[in-house]
Amino acid sequence: MSDGNFVNGQSYEPLRRLLSDSKIQELQTQIRVNNNIEDTNWDEETIKLKDLEHSSWQPKLLIAIDGDYSKSIIQNGYPGAEIGYITVSTVVILLDKVRELEKEQFIDPKKFRETEQPTSIDSLFVGCNVVLQGEDCAKSSMRKILYNELKKFKVFGETETLLDTYEFLLKERLDSGRASKCPHDNCDADYEFNVGEYRCNSCNGKLYSTDALRLHELLNSSGTSGEMYGQIKETFKKLQLIHLLRSFEQQPKYFSLLRDIAFFIEGTLAVFSTASWLAKPIRTELERLNTKVNEEFGSNLMVLGIERTGSFVNHFTNIDTMRDGSNHNFPNQSAYLLTNKYIKEHIVFNEKPDYIYLKDTSFGRKFFYKTNAGHRVVASIATYNNYQSNLETAFPAQFPRLVEILQLLDKLVSNRYENSVTPLATAHAEAAIPLNLGKSIFEKIAREIKANSNNND
């Protein structure tokens, strides 16, 4: 824009034309406005924690999963050459040790830091114009890296790898999945689902089990691939959750710990984009694991997703804000359990009678909670059967371990950033600055907890 456009307010002329345009004015008159929400009495509509039966349960461990990514241009002689740096961090908080420290008059900061044990999955992925030796393009390079990265990580020394976890979930896709196309250029054959590394029967090009995620389709060959890096991060987070659960199951001496762990993952309990098919096998596996835990220990798993941003967070802020601007419209220590009807009418507007929010991509239920200190939390609870997943109704019984979760949220609200809890604040910091890349700490922690449990028996 030339300097002359700023003379005498000329820079505002396009805006004036836009606002005075009859088409814009006509469109504004047709836009539907939601006014019903202002009349809601949230004191009557919410569930009060004091009205629910109190639980004395306290977790021994908190495990939080969060991730981050960044991208950078590199100099390799090709324009726009880009790499993406992705990290998914898992933080274990030893609550037994925290409770012991809280008894002391002065808490040693060093000892307190020792109650938080982080580990990170750290990966570099290629984007535009970055090709590995032996590969013919950036996309084939990215596919190879993705497969190899999943092979590297495992929780315990004797349990399956992250790739093994993924390929277990892939089995359901093998039986019922709709095939995409072979990832090799100039090959029109359907992609053949399988595990490991293998060859396309049509073009003889190398295929990987991880090609079924179709994340390589998000690589931008002529620009930045931020969407791809973001979706890899999100996919890794969901796989890490199931990997942790299965790894504890595969160690019989540690399996009982699952009744005493609260799992937190940043974001909603859903899988989006090209890997969205993972949601169905994740639901199936969560149901299986929860049934086993319930049968052996009489308790459900505790898995929560916490949303920091987005439409649900914005909506919760809006309904909690009174006309004078204060945040007291929604009562403290109260929860609102969301139904499909409420979501359609107030958050994701849709009047189609057969529309069900995140029907095929979610494995949890959302709710709003305002803590005893007045902090807002938008959370999802993992569900384990069709009754719990039915969005047409929202009864407390459809939200597994609701009372214990609300009591826990009261204790874990984070002051480090809004709309989150302490474990995820720590995991986020670890993801943003991964100081413990590749450091496996789960086996050590599990041994300590098991030893303490034996001593207390």
Side-chain angles (χ1 to χ4, degrees):
M1 182 181 293
S2 66
D3 292 340
N5 288 331
F6 290 98
V7 178
N8 296 325
Q10 291 181 24
S11 62
Y12 297 101
E13 188 59 33
L15 182 59
R16 291 195 188 101
R17 292 200 308 269
L18 183 65
L19 294 177
S20 63
D21 192 303
S22 60
K23 293 180 181 179
I24 298 298
Q25 294 177 352
E26 181 182 354
L27 178 63
Q28 288 177 322
T29 63
Q30 296 178 26
I31 294 175
R32 298 171 64 172
V33 178
N34 180 16
N35 293 317
N36 296 331
I37 201 70
E38 297 179 2
D39 300 326
T40 303
N41 185 335
W42 291 107
D43 196 55
E44 295 180 356
E45 295 293 328
T46 54
I47 295 173
K48 308 299 187 295
L49 179 58
K50 66 181 181 180
D51 295 334
L52 301 174
E53 185 176 353
H54 178 79
S55 172
S56 60
W57 176 85
Q58 294 189 67
K60 294 181 179 178
L61 293 178
L62 304 177
I63 297 182
I65 304 169
D66 197 0
D68 198 6
Y69 80 89
S70 60
K71 55 187 186 293
S72 177
I73 298 297
I74 64 170
Q75 301 301 321
N76 66 348
Y78 297 95
E82 181 185 74
I83 59 171
Y85 170 71
I86 299 170
T87 181
V88 172
S89 293
T90 304
V91 173
V92 181
I93 297 180
L94 312 175
L95 283 186
D96 281 352
K97 291 187 177 181
V98 172
R99 295 185 189 108
E100 286 299 316
L101 289 175
E102 287 176 344
K103 297 177 183 177
E104 299 180 8
Q105 185 174 2
F106 174 76
I107 299 177
D108 184 342
K110 182 180 179 181
K111 290 183 179 180
F112 188 81
R113 286 194 297 270
E114 291 173 353
T115 67
E116 299 177 347
Q117 303 288 338
T119 186
S120 299
I121 303 173
D122 176 59
S123 304
L124 283 174
F125 284 87
V126 300
C128 170
N129 272 341
V130 179
V131 181
L132 301 180
Q133 294 288 345
E135 299 297 323
D136 57 8
C137 65
K139 185 167 69 173
S140 67
S141 302
M142 179 270 169
R143 292 170 46 238
K144 179 179 181 179
I145 292 173
L146 178 62
Y147 177 80
N148 287 332
E149 286 301 310
L150 291 185
K151 289 170 62 176
K152 295 178 181 179
F153 186 81
K154 64 170 61 177
V155 172
F156 299 114
E158 299 176 356
T159 56
E160 66 185 22
T161 65
L162 194 56
L163 178 65
D164 294 327
T165 300
Y166 162 73
E167 291 186 340
F168 175 85
L169 298 174
L170 178 63
K171 290 178 181 178
E172 185 167 336
R173 182 73 169 174
L174 299 179
D175 297 333
S176 59
R178 185 180 64 184
S180 57
K181 292 299 180 182
C182 172
H184 290 279
D185 295 336
N186 303 320
C187 181
D188 295 327
D190 287 342
Y191 171 71
E192 302 153 14
F193 295 105
N194 211 328
V195 297
E197 302 177 51
Y198 51 103
R199 294 281 176 178
C200 174
N201 289 328
S202 179
C203 69
N204 199 41
K206 179 175 281 191
L207 299 175
Y208 304 95
S209 60
T210 47
D211 290 338
L213 294 169
R214 296 172 52 209
L215 292 166
H216 56 272
E217 296 179 12
L218 303 177
L219 191 149
N220 186 346
S221 60
S222 58
T224 185
S225 294
E227 180 185 4
M228 181 184 74
Y229 305 135
Q231 289 303 327
I232 292 173
K233 176 200 69 174
E234 291 300 315
T235 302
F236 274 25
K237 283 163 54 179
K238 307 312 188 302
L239 289 175
Q240 173 73 329
L241 171 64
I242 302 302
H243 178 64
L244 288 168
L245 291 168
R246 285 175 56 83
S247 296
F248 276 99
E249 180 194 23
Q250 291 164 14
Q251 289 283 347
K253 57 184 177 180
Y254 301 144
F255 181 60
S256 62
L257 291 177
L258 287 179
R259 64 184 171 183
D260 298 316
I261 300 176
F263 291 89
F264 291 85
I265 187 168
E266 188 279 329
T268 188
L269 297 182
V271 189
F272 301 108
S273 192
T274 60
S276 61
W277 62 264
L278 275 173
K280 183 179 179 181
I282 285 176
R283 278 198 302 269
T284 302
E285 182 62 357
L286 282 173
E287 291 173 12
R288 183 192 71 80
L289 288 164
N290 187 70
T291 298
K292 186 172 180 179
V293 171
N294 201 304
E295 289 176 349
E296 294 200 25
F297 311 117
S299 177
N300 290 311
L301 292 169
M302 183 179 287
V303 178
L304 288 95
I306 305 292
E307 300 179 36
R308 295 201 305 262
T309 60
S311 299
F312 286 81
V313 173
N314 294 338
H315 178 72
F316 194 7
T317 301
N318 291 339
I319 63 176
D320 187 35
T321 304
M322 303 185 75
R323 294 182 185 277
D324 63 1
S326 61
N327 294 326
H328 303 297
N329 208 33
F330 199 97
N332 289 4
Q333 282 197 304
S334 299
Y336 186 69
L337 312 180
L338 297 177
T339 62
N340 191 58
K341 181 176 184 293
Y342 184 89
I343 293 171
K344 286 170 56 175
E345 291 180 355
H346 300 294
I347 305 175
V348 183
F349 185 44
N350 193 311
E351 289 190 330
K352 294 180 180 178
D354 58 345
Y355 173 80
I356 300 177
Y357 176 72
L358 298 185
K359 177 182 178 182
D360 298 319
T361 58
S362 176
F363 51 94
R365 292 285 303 267
K366 291 178 186 285
F367 68 95
F368 297 150
Y369 183 62
K370 194 171 183 183
T371 68
N372 57 348
H375 297 285
R376 293 182 293 267
V377 181
V378 178
S380 303
I381 298 178
T383 54
Y384 308 112
N385 56 50
N386 290 334
Y387 169 70
Q388 294 171 356
S389 302
N390 181 11
L391 286 176
E392 295 307 308
T393 55
F395 302 113
Q398 292 177 280
F399 292 74
R401 302 184 70 171
L402 178 64
V403 175
E404 294 164 335
I405 286 172
L406 299 185
Q407 292 176 178
L408 191 58
L409 289 176
D410 274 340
K411 299 176 182 178
L412 297 179
V413 170
S414 171
N415 292 321
R416 291 165 69 173
Y417 51 86
E418 288 186 320
N419 309 317
S420 193
V421 292
T422 301
L424 284 174
T426 304
H428 181 76
E430 177 68 16
I433 310 175
L435 301 177
N436 291 271
L437 303 182
K439 178 183 175 185
S440 178
I441 44 85
F442 292 99
E443 193 158 12
K444 173 176 174 289
I445 289 171
R447 284 198 301 267
E448 291 180 1
I449 296 295
K450 186 65 177 178
N452 291 337
S453 298
N454 292 336
N455 293 335
N456 294 331
D457 292 340

